[in-house]
Amino acid sequence: MVRYFSAIVIGLLSVLKGMAVTVKYFFSKKVTMEYPDQRWKMPDRFRGKVGCDTNKCISCLYCVNICPVSCITLENVKAEIPAVVTNLEGKEMKRLKNITKFEVDISRCIFCGLCTEGCPTGAIYMSHDYEISCYTRKDMVYQWVKTKL
Amino acid sequence: MLKEYIEAIKTFSEQNIPFTIKGAPVELWYIVWIFIFGGVVLGGAMLFAGLASFAERRFAGFFQCRLGPNRVGPEGFFQFIADGIKLVLKEDLIPAAADKMLFRAAPYVVFIGTLGVFAALPFSKSLGITNLNLGLLYIFAISSLVIVGIIMAGWGSGNKWSLLGGMRSAAQIISYEIPIGVVFLTMIMITSTMNMQEIVNQQGGGLVNWLVFRYPPFTLFAFLIYFIAAMAEVNRTPFDLPEAESELVGGFHTEYSGMRFAFFFMAEYANMFVVSAIATVLFLGGWQSPLPFFILNIFGDYSILAIIEGFGWFITKVLFLVFLMMWLRWTLPRYRVDQLMAVCWKVLLPLSFANLLLIGIWMIL
Ligand code: SF4
Ligand code: SF4
């Protein structure tokens, strides 16, 4: 008999406790991020779409060779007048070749970041852009040099 | 036989119809009024169901630390209209194995069972569709139609999950109707009337005269028993076994789509309104103000203002109870079938009988 009534009382009290918890959340600040209107601020080392500043690139082919999935394509021609580029340590380097094609196939990229780690001039970098969906496979191939020299 | 029937309708309509056009036969007006009231009730119930479904989704979000639907219209207010349009435009599928007639008829039976109750609810002082002498009994009787509809849906779908859902709901609703019946009996005993308006009239004069506080704490227990049993009656979580998604897919409405599904959906929300309204009338003073007087009547006795304010109080109380149901839904997990039956037969039923006896003894003393 005592157990019967104490079970009822405990049951009702636990319902009240549960209701207290839920009502706390009812008035708390909501965690929803309304995506297209609000966006997350990505951390500094977030690895998004690969980006490239082709003016800095000295066409050393380091990134092409290191890429585990070979998704970077780079073609170049010998330059008549070599351009001067500053590398990461501040030293000047000569660019002996002109780039005619610099493509990154994002559909194959695994966002490992290896290409950016060894680049002597910091030309290739991981951007914070994560909105990389598109309609065709061709759109996934980003061409950083479009003009033919 | 027919003549007597027409005669009875004529006398009834002469007494009950607010006004007619001179010269028009009173029977014709009777039919017109039936349609007008029917339309008002149907529109009101549908509007409430739509708004409640929106509120439910929004509140569900709030309770879970989310925002809920907030895109259509200001704060997502028109979401229910978008939902309604979607449901109307959807294809109405009938499974090949279904019992077509039962399948088609079931949603309407459920909806009629819910809608019929509105006829006897006292919305405000002398504002109601009818004022039945046996209002409480009528409500108790007609709301049982819902089970019939649900079983029809479960059987007619020709699907084992639906059938299981239908059977569960039959077992559940019939079981929980007994504590509700006993609580009704208690309240009839206290008020010695079944007329809903009369019950509300007896609770006038402020908060302390509400029936919840009439025989403390027994009427409060009666209120709790009624509220728990009523939640089981309308298949709300934690008693939503007939449509337990994780066990029965969708229970009795698994096979329904489009407008027929919408009918079940609206019936559920209208049903929430109905049971909350009955709880309000029986325990929380119906349309009576919690103050000893109507606020709008401070500077004189305007009956029309009193009616409006009474309606406001009634709706406020009902909405509070509906909110309480939503709150409980997002707090408690679902019962197991045996636990559900144990709660009804081992807890609610004996307690409601004990309550009846104790209140009876108190009334004699
Ligand atoms: S590693 Fe840097 S500098 Fe070398 S080819 Fe790649 S982008 Fe250009
Ligand atoms: S991030 Fe990795 S996979 Fe992507 S381009 Fe750079 S090296 Fe290749």
Side-chain angles (χ1 to χ4, degrees), chain B residues 230-258:
Chain B
M231 286 225 295
E233 274 245 320
V234 296
N235 301 329
R236 296 284 299 175
T237 320
F239 303 105
D240 65 339
L241 288 137
E243 45 192 289
E245 299 91 350
S246 47
E247 304 157 31
L248 297 180
V249 196
F252 59 88
H253 57 54
T254 307
E255 300 290 355
Y256 282 87
S257 64

Short mmCIF file of all heavy atoms in Angstrom, two decimals, chain B residues 230-258:
data_model
loop_
_atom_site.label_atom_id
_atom_site.label_comp_id
_atom_site.label_asym_id
_atom_site.label_seq_id
_atom_site.Cartn_x
_atom_site.Cartn_y
_atom_site.Cartn_z
N ALA B 230 -7.76 11.92 -20.20
CA ALA B 230 -8.13 12.61 -21.43
C ALA B 230 -6.97 12.62 -22.42
O ALA B 230 -7.17 12.50 -23.63
CB ALA B 230 -8.56 14.04 -21.11
N MET B 231 -5.76 12.75 -21.89
CA MET B 231 -4.60 12.70 -22.80
C MET B 231 -4.53 11.34 -23.47
O MET B 231 -4.18 11.24 -24.64
CB MET B 231 -3.32 12.94 -22.02
CG MET B 231 -3.15 14.36 -21.63
SD MET B 231 -1.49 14.90 -21.94
CE MET B 231 -0.61 13.90 -20.83
N ALA B 232 -4.88 10.30 -22.71
CA ALA B 232 -4.88 8.97 -23.31
C ALA B 232 -5.99 8.86 -24.34
O ALA B 232 -5.84 8.23 -25.38
CB ALA B 232 -5.06 7.91 -22.23
N GLU B 233 -7.11 9.53 -24.06
CA GLU B 233 -8.25 9.46 -24.99
C GLU B 233 -7.93 10.10 -26.33
O GLU B 233 -8.43 9.66 -27.37
CB GLU B 233 -9.44 10.20 -24.38
CG GLU B 233 -10.27 9.37 -23.48
CD GLU B 233 -11.65 9.19 -24.04
OE1 GLU B 233 -12.22 10.15 -24.60
OE2 GLU B 233 -12.15 8.07 -23.94
N VAL B 234 -7.16 11.17 -26.32
CA VAL B 234 -6.87 11.83 -27.60
C VAL B 234 -5.56 11.33 -28.20
O VAL B 234 -5.05 11.92 -29.13
CB VAL B 234 -6.84 13.36 -27.45
CG1 VAL B 234 -8.18 13.87 -27.05
CG2 VAL B 234 -5.79 13.81 -26.49
N ASN B 235 -5.03 10.24 -27.66
CA ASN B 235 -3.81 9.61 -28.20
C ASN B 235 -2.63 10.55 -28.26
O ASN B 235 -1.90 10.59 -29.24
CB ASN B 235 -4.05 9.07 -29.62
CG ASN B 235 -5.15 8.06 -29.65
OD1 ASN B 235 -5.35 7.35 -28.68
ND2 ASN B 235 -5.85 7.98 -30.75
N ARG B 236 -2.47 11.32 -27.20
CA ARG B 236 -1.31 12.20 -27.17
C ARG B 236 -0.16 11.47 -26.48
O ARG B 236 -0.38 10.64 -25.62
CB ARG B 236 -1.61 13.46 -26.36
CG ARG B 236 -2.67 14.32 -26.93
CD ARG B 236 -2.18 15.10 -28.10
NE ARG B 236 -1.08 15.99 -27.73
CZ ARG B 236 -0.43 16.71 -28.62
NH1 ARG B 236 -0.73 16.64 -29.88
NH2 ARG B 236 0.54 17.50 -28.24
N THR B 237 1.07 11.81 -26.86
CA THR B 237 2.21 11.33 -26.11
C THR B 237 2.00 11.78 -24.67
O THR B 237 1.55 12.91 -24.47
CB THR B 237 3.51 11.96 -26.62
OG1 THR B 237 3.43 11.99 -28.02
CG2 THR B 237 4.73 11.20 -26.18
N PRO B 238 2.30 11.03 -23.65
CA PRO B 238 2.95 9.71 -23.62
C PRO B 238 2.03 8.54 -23.90
O PRO B 238 2.45 7.42 -23.69
CB PRO B 238 3.46 9.66 -22.19
CG PRO B 238 2.49 10.46 -21.41
CD PRO B 238 2.05 11.54 -22.30
N PHE B 239 0.79 8.79 -24.34
CA PHE B 239 -0.12 7.66 -24.58
C PHE B 239 -0.37 7.47 -26.07
O PHE B 239 -1.46 7.09 -26.46
CB PHE B 239 -1.46 7.92 -23.88
CG PHE B 239 -1.35 8.17 -22.41
CD1 PHE B 239 -1.47 9.44 -21.90
CD2 PHE B 239 -1.11 7.13 -21.54
CE1 PHE B 239 -1.37 9.68 -20.55
CE2 PHE B 239 -1.00 7.36 -20.19
CZ PHE B 239 -1.13 8.63 -19.69
N ASP B 240 0.60 7.77 -26.92
CA ASP B 240 0.29 7.72 -28.35
C ASP B 240 0.60 6.36 -28.97
O ASP B 240 1.10 6.27 -30.08
CB ASP B 240 1.03 8.84 -29.10
CG ASP B 240 2.52 8.66 -29.04
OD1 ASP B 240 2.97 7.96 -28.15
OD2 ASP B 240 3.22 9.22 -29.89
N LEU B 241 0.28 5.31 -28.23
CA LEU B 241 0.57 3.97 -28.75
C LEU B 241 -0.12 3.64 -30.08
O LEU B 241 0.46 2.95 -30.90
CB LEU B 241 0.19 2.93 -27.71
CG LEU B 241 1.16 2.97 -26.55
CD1 LEU B 241 0.45 2.88 -25.26
CD2 LEU B 241 2.17 1.88 -26.71
N PRO B 242 -1.36 4.10 -30.32
CA PRO B 242 -1.98 3.75 -31.60
C PRO B 242 -1.20 4.22 -32.81
O PRO B 242 -1.40 3.71 -33.90
CB PRO B 242 -3.34 4.43 -31.53
CG PRO B 242 -3.61 4.59 -30.10
CD PRO B 242 -2.30 4.81 -29.45
N GLU B 243 -0.37 5.25 -32.64
CA GLU B 243 0.38 5.71 -33.81
C GLU B 243 1.88 5.74 -33.53
O GLU B 243 2.60 6.54 -34.10
CB GLU B 243 -0.11 7.09 -34.23
CG GLU B 243 -0.28 8.01 -33.05
CD GLU B 243 -1.05 9.26 -33.44
OE1 GLU B 243 -0.48 10.07 -34.16
OE2 GLU B 243 -2.21 9.39 -33.02
N ALA B 244 2.31 4.83 -32.64
CA ALA B 244 3.72 4.81 -32.24
C ALA B 244 4.62 4.64 -33.47
O ALA B 244 4.65 3.58 -34.07
CB ALA B 244 3.95 3.67 -31.26
N GLU B 245 5.32 5.70 -33.82
CA GLU B 245 6.09 5.68 -35.07
C GLU B 245 7.15 4.60 -35.06
O GLU B 245 7.36 3.91 -36.04
CB GLU B 245 6.78 7.02 -35.32
CG GLU B 245 5.86 8.21 -35.46
CD GLU B 245 5.61 8.88 -34.14
OE1 GLU B 245 6.01 8.30 -33.10
OE2 GLU B 245 5.01 9.97 -34.13
N SER B 246 7.83 4.45 -33.91
CA SER B 246 8.96 3.53 -33.90
C SER B 246 8.52 2.08 -33.90
O SER B 246 9.31 1.20 -34.21
CB SER B 246 9.83 3.82 -32.68
OG SER B 246 9.02 3.94 -31.54
N GLU B 247 7.27 1.80 -33.55
CA GLU B 247 6.82 0.41 -33.52
C GLU B 247 5.87 0.11 -34.67
O GLU B 247 5.93 -0.95 -35.28
CB GLU B 247 6.10 0.12 -32.21
CG GLU B 247 6.92 0.43 -30.99
CD GLU B 247 6.04 0.68 -29.78
OE1 GLU B 247 4.97 0.09 -29.69
OE2 GLU B 247 6.45 1.48 -28.92
N LEU B 248 4.97 1.04 -34.96
CA LEU B 248 3.87 0.73 -35.89
C LEU B 248 3.90 1.62 -37.14
O LEU B 248 2.86 1.82 -37.75
CB LEU B 248 2.53 0.93 -35.20
CG LEU B 248 2.23 0.03 -34.01
CD1 LEU B 248 0.87 0.36 -33.45
CD2 LEU B 248 2.28 -1.41 -34.43
N VAL B 249 5.03 2.15 -37.49
CA VAL B 249 5.14 3.08 -38.62
C VAL B 249 4.31 4.33 -38.35
O VAL B 249 4.83 5.34 -37.94
CB VAL B 249 4.72 2.44 -39.94
CG1 VAL B 249 5.20 3.29 -41.08
CG2 VAL B 249 5.28 1.04 -40.07
N GLY B 250 3.00 4.26 -38.59
CA GLY B 250 2.17 5.41 -38.25
C GLY B 250 0.88 4.95 -37.60
O GLY B 250 -0.06 5.72 -37.45
N GLY B 251 0.79 3.64 -37.27
CA GLY B 251 -0.42 3.14 -36.67
C GLY B 251 -1.59 3.19 -37.64
O GLY B 251 -1.41 2.94 -38.83
N PHE B 252 -2.75 3.58 -37.13
CA PHE B 252 -3.96 3.46 -37.95
C PHE B 252 -3.94 4.38 -39.17
O PHE B 252 -4.67 4.16 -40.11
CB PHE B 252 -5.19 3.72 -37.10
CG PHE B 252 -5.21 5.08 -36.47
CD1 PHE B 252 -5.75 6.16 -37.14
CD2 PHE B 252 -4.67 5.29 -35.21
CE1 PHE B 252 -5.78 7.40 -36.56
CE2 PHE B 252 -4.68 6.54 -34.62
CZ PHE B 252 -5.24 7.60 -35.31
N HIS B 253 -3.13 5.44 -39.15
CA HIS B 253 -3.15 6.30 -40.34
C HIS B 253 -1.93 6.09 -41.25
O HIS B 253 -1.61 6.97 -42.05
CB HIS B 253 -3.36 7.77 -39.99
CG HIS B 253 -2.35 8.34 -39.06
ND1 HIS B 253 -1.00 8.28 -39.28
CD2 HIS B 253 -2.49 8.99 -37.89
CE1 HIS B 253 -0.37 8.86 -38.30
NE2 HIS B 253 -1.24 9.30 -37.43
N THR B 254 -1.30 4.92 -41.16
CA THR B 254 -0.16 4.65 -42.02
C THR B 254 -0.49 4.80 -43.50
O THR B 254 0.25 5.41 -44.27
CB THR B 254 0.34 3.21 -41.80
OG1 THR B 254 0.57 3.02 -40.43
CG2 THR B 254 1.62 2.94 -42.57
N GLU B 255 -1.64 4.26 -43.90
CA GLU B 255 -1.96 4.19 -45.33
C GLU B 255 -2.65 5.45 -45.84
O GLU B 255 -2.97 5.53 -47.02
CB GLU B 255 -2.87 2.99 -45.60
CG GLU B 255 -2.28 1.66 -45.22
CD GLU B 255 -1.14 1.26 -46.13
OE1 GLU B 255 -0.88 1.98 -47.10
OE2 GLU B 255 -0.50 0.23 -45.85
N TYR B 256 -2.92 6.40 -44.97
CA TYR B 256 -3.69 7.55 -45.41
C TYR B 256 -2.78 8.62 -45.97
O TYR B 256 -1.64 8.80 -45.54
CB TYR B 256 -4.50 8.11 -44.25
CG TYR B 256 -5.74 7.30 -43.98
CD1 TYR B 256 -5.69 6.21 -43.13
CD2 TYR B 256 -6.92 7.60 -44.61
CE1 TYR B 256 -6.81 5.44 -42.90
CE2 TYR B 256 -8.06 6.85 -44.38
CZ TYR B 256 -7.99 5.76 -43.53
OH TYR B 256 -9.10 5.01 -43.32
N SER B 257 -3.30 9.33 -46.96
CA SER B 257 -2.54 10.45 -47.51
C SER B 257 -3.53 11.54 -47.88
O SER B 257 -4.74 11.33 -47.85
CB SER B 257 -1.76 10.00 -48.74
OG SER B 257 -2.66 9.61 -49.74
N GLY B 258 -2.99 12.69 -48.20
CA GLY B 258 -3.82 13.78 -48.69
C GLY B 258 -4.87 14.22 -47.70
O GLY B 258 -4.65 14.27 -46.50
#
